[in-house]
Amino acid sequence: MSQNNSNNNNLLEIEHLKQYFPVAGSKKIVHAVDDVSFFIKKGETFGLVGESGCGKTTTGRSILRLTEPTAGKIVYDGEVIFDSENNIKADMRAYRRKMQIVFQDPYASLDPRMTVGDIVGEALDIHKLYANKAERREKIVSLLATVGLNTEHANRYPHEFSGGQRQRIGIARALAVNPQFIVCDEPVSALDVSIQAQVVNMFEDLQKERSLTYLFIAHDLSVVNHISSRIGVMYLGHMVEMAESDEIIFHSMHPYTRSLISAVPVADPKTARANKRIILEGDVPSPVNPPSGCPFRTRCPYADAQCAEKKPEFKEVTSGHYAACWHLDKLN
């Protein structure tokens, strides 16, 4: 695929990633991620959007190999860490320090029996990143300060904190090993709107200070547009569109992307009235039994016989703008 041109500036290259899960007690298969390809440049934030169940989180976890992919190729900083075709599965221990994740639910992702100091310090222990207990303590306090928490918070337990504070603890834990790349898996969706902005701003500040690269997963397009330099849109396990953030917002090509954008609330009442909401018919099909041809055709107002017969190729339509649709000429 031409988009993954061998570029030394790419930190991560994903080619034809597939993640299938067997359904317990039957021969059926869930096509959670189906032939997804994209790349992330060093120091950028790549946003991944789509409605719940489209495969965003599974993509993020598969890249980190928290769930072993079914097929595809993953290249991290020029090194192949997974390639199903050539049976390459790199030992991930060396990469765990470079690649981290901030989970969606700050309530479920922190061990309630551990103090905050031990939660943040666990990665330091595993990777032996300190010479003595004093240095360990110093590093934990420094990490908490980085995310806006103070020294005495280290001795408290997760239940004593608000949702926003817990997410900060999760971020401090991810930063403990000084990673290059972080998968941010819907990191603000469980938080109040006022807290969301603080956490997003903190992600941006950390990126500048530490030269971090993010895969930012969310279903809120306005949040993703704010933080991301490029955006990929997923539907039913497939990537349907990818381009720079402003290009996606102002010149989207795919009918699904357009419906997502039309649902973003606008503060100005006049603009809001002028904007026509695109309501999609029907429900999202099951990934156990996806439709033939184009995955979006059952809800697309432009679908015809060709859409049912063959899946459209995900290709570069204009420079840096990729889309998968048979009717781009009608739409654009």
Side-chain angles (χ1 to χ4, degrees), residues 66-202:
L66 296 175
T67 314
E68 204 65 2
T70 305
K73 185 178 179 182
I74 303 168
V75 181
Y76 181 84
D77 207 7
E79 295 169 3
V80 179
I81 60 171
F82 182 85
D83 186 349
S84 56
E85 208 171 290
N86 297 304
N87 204 21
I88 296 170
K89 292 181 183 179
D91 180 358
M92 286 304 287
R93 273 176 300 187
Y95 293 94
R96 291 282 172 241
R97 277 186 64 181
K98 300 174 183 178
M99 308 164 80
Q100 281 291 312
I101 184 167
V102 174
F103 293 99
Q104 174 178 2
D105 188 351
Y107 299 85
S109 62
L110 303 176
D111 189 333
R113 296 161 299 182
M114 291 171 77
T115 64
V116 166
D118 285 338
I119 287 168
V120 174
E122 189 174 25
L124 300 174
D125 301 339
I126 290 166
H127 294 284
K128 300 178 176 58
L129 299 179
Y130 54 87
N132 49 49
K133 284 201 167 172
E135 191 186 344
R136 178 183 187 269
R137 172 81 184 165
E138 199 180 294
K139 285 196 171 189
I140 290 166
V141 169
S142 169
L143 284 160
L144 291 176
T146 301
V147 297
L149 299 172
N150 55 40
T151 312
E152 53 265 31
H153 286 143
N155 301 318
R156 294 192 195 166
Y157 289 87
H159 73 267
E160 299 176 60
F161 294 89
S162 68
Q165 288 174 315
R166 287 184 211 190
Q167 195 56 291
R168 288 169 186 267
I169 296 162
I171 294 165
R173 175 176 60 184
L175 293 172
V177 292
N178 203 16
Q180 298 168 304
F181 172 67
I182 300 178
V183 172
C184 308
D185 181 16
E186 303 221 23
V188 296
S189 65
L191 309 177
D192 291 344
V193 175
S194 57
I195 307 297
Q196 284 185 9
Q198 293 174 19
V199 174
V200 167
N201 289 339
M202 186 170 67

Side-chain angles (χ1 to χ4, degrees), residues 2-20:
S2 60
Q3 63 162 314
N4 282 338
N5 45 19
S6 52
N7 185 340
N8 295 335
N9 203 29
N10 290 348
L11 182 66
L12 199 67
E13 294 177 10
I14 315 300
E15 295 178 23
H16 308 296
L17 184 70
K18 293 183 181 180
Q19 186 62 271
Y20 298 164

Side-chain angles (χ1 to χ4, degrees), residues 257-327:
T257 311
R258 289 184 178 177
S259 74
L260 283 184
I261 292 163
S262 78
V264 175
V266 179
D268 177 40
K270 275 187 184 173
T271 315
R273 276 195 294 271
N275 284 0
K276 221 176 163 193
R277 177 77 203 275
I278 302 168
I279 310 278
L280 294 176
E281 299 290 322
D283 297 320
V284 182
S286 165
V288 176
N289 188 22
S292 63
C294 175
F296 184 60
R297 72 174 174 82
T298 56
R299 301 174 77 196
C300 180
Y302 307 97
D304 59 16
Q306 183 184 20
C307 304
E309 282 166 26
K310 199 177 173 195
K311 183 184 158 189
E313 185 193 349
F314 185 64
K315 61 183 182 183
E316 191 168 17
V317 185
T318 59
S319 181
H321 195 149
Y322 300 81
C325 179
W326 287 119
H327 301 302

